[in-house]
Amino acid sequence: QSRPLDFLNDARNKRIIIDLKNGKQFVGILKAFDIHINCVLEEVEERVDGEIKRKLGNAFLRGDTIVLISPA
């Protein structure tokens, strides 16, 4: 049985892309998440139009701001 959280479990320690409601996109390694889809990423890059805008190291992204999560 495949549930949304199973997808995130499979993505743990892999690079993912997260798009936020405000149009920002972050790419990083998924380290942790909870039932609210709050996500902790490592080696994070913020991208604008596919170009790296800044490197953030570690980041916490609130689940209620996330629109899309995809394998990188």
Side-chain angles (χ1 to χ4, degrees):
Q1 181 177 348
S2 187
R3 298 164 310 196
L5 293 179
D6 294 335
F7 166 82
L8 284 180
N9 254 325
D10 292 343
R12 200 186 308 248
N13 296 313
K14 296 185 180 128
R15 289 182 69 75
I16 61 169
I17 300 166
I18 294 183
D19 289 351
L20 302 185
K21 289 178 183 174
N22 64 7
K24 291 181 184 278
Q25 183 180 78
F26 296 91
V27 180
I29 299 169
L30 179 65
K31 297 310 286 187
F33 64 90
D34 63 15
I35 60 166
H36 305 290
I37 319 297
N38 295 319
C39 294
V40 176
L41 303 182
E42 289 182 346
E43 300 177 26
V44 179
E45 298 169 350
E46 181 182 346
R47 292 187 185 171
V48 176
D49 299 325
E51 300 288 315
I52 297 171
K53 184 175 178 184
R54 59 182 176 161
K55 292 180 183 279
L56 296 172
N58 296 340
F60 175 94
L61 300 176
R62 277 182 55 114
D64 65 358
T65 65
I66 294 173
V67 177
L68 174 141
I69 301 175
S70 174

